[in-house]
């Protein structure tokens, strides 16, 4: 039997093995280092985004807390107004309380511009109920235009003033100028108008 020992080959294999182990360890170390860096960057980004959202949430919460009492106050006022409007026919009782009509006619007369004249006021609740989009109160009148200094827009001003009148503001949905016409009458120009209160 013959035995042969090759120490050079054994040493080279051992060095190669050590070299592979070192390279593998270095690669594993680099992989772990890159993984840790990636996780740290992701964590930092998530922390920043979370901080931004938390600041926005606190800011929005503070704004809501600052305006919430005013919103609740307005909601209560709107609810009270809605209840008052719903019960307005009961409160007014126009047919049973002539004083309401007296106050309404007084307002219509007191707000009338000096150049305008009322020729007729008509009220027909049944007509407004039967016919859709029909006024309940009609105010007919005219104005004699004697000189250029007179305001031909007096009807529009009168309608605006009547729209804010206390006795009719909440009882009717709108006040419309149904007729506003100018024509020559004898020696002067005449303007006729019709205002309609819609329920």
């Amino acid at each position: 039997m013959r035995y042969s020992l090759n120490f050079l080959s054994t040493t080279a294999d051992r060095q190669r093995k050590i070299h592979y182990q070192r390279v593998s360890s270095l690669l594993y170390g680099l992989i772990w280092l890159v993984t840790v860096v990636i996780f740290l960057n992701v964590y930092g980004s998530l922390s920043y985004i979370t901080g931004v959202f938390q600041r926005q949430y606190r800011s929005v919460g503070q704004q809501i807390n600052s305006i919430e009492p005013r919103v609740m106050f307005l909601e209560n006022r709107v609810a009270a107004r809605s209840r008052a409007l719903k019960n307005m026919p009961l409160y007014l009782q126009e047919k049973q309380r002539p004083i309401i009509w007296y106050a309404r006619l007084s307002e219509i007369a007191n707000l009338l511009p000096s150049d305008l004249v009322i020729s007729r006021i008509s009220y027909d609740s049944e007509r407004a109920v039967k016919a859709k989009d029909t006024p309940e109160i009609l105010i007919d009148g005219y104005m004699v235009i004697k000189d250029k200094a007179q305001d031909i827009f007096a009807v529009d001003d009168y309608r605006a003033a009547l729209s804010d009148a206390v006795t009719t503001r909440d009882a009717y949905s709108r006040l419309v100028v149904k007729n506003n016409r100018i024509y020559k009458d004898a020696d002067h120009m005449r303007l006729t108008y019709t205002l309609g209160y819609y329920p």
Side-chain angles (χ1 to χ4, degrees):
M1 297 181 67
R2 181 180 292 177
Y3 296 97
S4 175
L5 296 176
N6 189 349
F7 291 103
L8 293 175
S9 176
T10 304
T11 303
D13 290 341
R14 186 180 300 118
Q15 288 177 349
R16 219 175 2 249
K17 191 173 182 181
I18 293 172
H19 178 69
Y20 288 153
Q21 288 176 348
R22 288 177 179 172
V23 171
S24 299
S25 300
L26 181 62
L27 287 175
Y28 286 133
L30 287 174
I31 291 172
W32 276 105
L33 181 62
V34 170
T35 304
V36 170
V37 170
I38 291 173
F39 275 115
L40 288 176
N41 286 333
V42 171
Y43 177 76
S45 300
L46 291 176
S47 298
Y48 175 75
I49 293 172
T50 303
V52 170
F53 278 117
Q54 286 179 347
R55 285 194 297 271
Q56 289 181 347
Y57 176 78
R58 285 195 295 268
S59 175
V60 171
Q62 290 173 354
Q63 292 176 357
I64 291 175
N65 291 335
S66 66
I67 66 172
E68 187 176 12
R70 286 178 286 175
V71 171
M72 293 181 65
F73 173 77
L74 290 175
E75 285 181 350
N76 292 334
R77 298 293 294 175
V78 169
R81 181 177 180 273
S82 299
R83 288 193 301 270
L85 286 176
K86 184 178 179 181
N87 296 325
M88 188 64 68
L90 176 64
Y91 296 153
L92 292 179
Q93 295 182 8
E94 297 167 344
K95 295 181 180 178
Q96 288 79 12
R97 294 187 180 180
I99 190 65
I100 295 297
W101 277 106
Y102 174 78
R104 186 169 292 169
L105 293 174
S106 296
E107 262 189 340
I108 291 173
N110 291 331
L111 295 174
L112 183 70
S114 58
D115 291 337
L116 293 183
V117 176
I118 294 177
S119 58
R120 184 181 64 173
I121 298 177
S122 60
Y123 169 77
D124 192 345
S125 60
E126 295 180 358
R127 175 187 59 195
V129 171
K130 291 177 182 177
K132 196 173 182 181
D133 200 26
T134 303
E136 190 172 280
I137 300 176
L138 287 174
I139 302 174
D140 296 313
Y142 65 90
M143 177 176 72
V144 178
I145 303 175
K146 297 179 180 179
D147 53 45
K148 295 181 180 179
Q150 287 180 282
D151 184 11
I152 61 173
F153 297 105
V155 176
D156 295 323
D157 297 336
Y158 185 40
R159 188 206 64 80
L162 287 177
S163 296
D164 293 331
V166 177
T167 58
T168 55
R169 180 178 54 204
D170 297 324
Y172 294 95
S173 62
R174 66 188 192 278
L175 174 61
V176 178
V177 179
K178 295 181 61 62
N179 174 30
N180 192 5
R181 189 168 60 94
I182 298 177
Y183 63 92
K184 187 161 182 68
D185 179 26
D187 296 332
H188 301 289
M189 300 292 291
R190 182 182 287 260
L191 181 147
T192 61
Y193 66 91
T194 301
L195 299 176
Y197 280 98
Y198 287 82

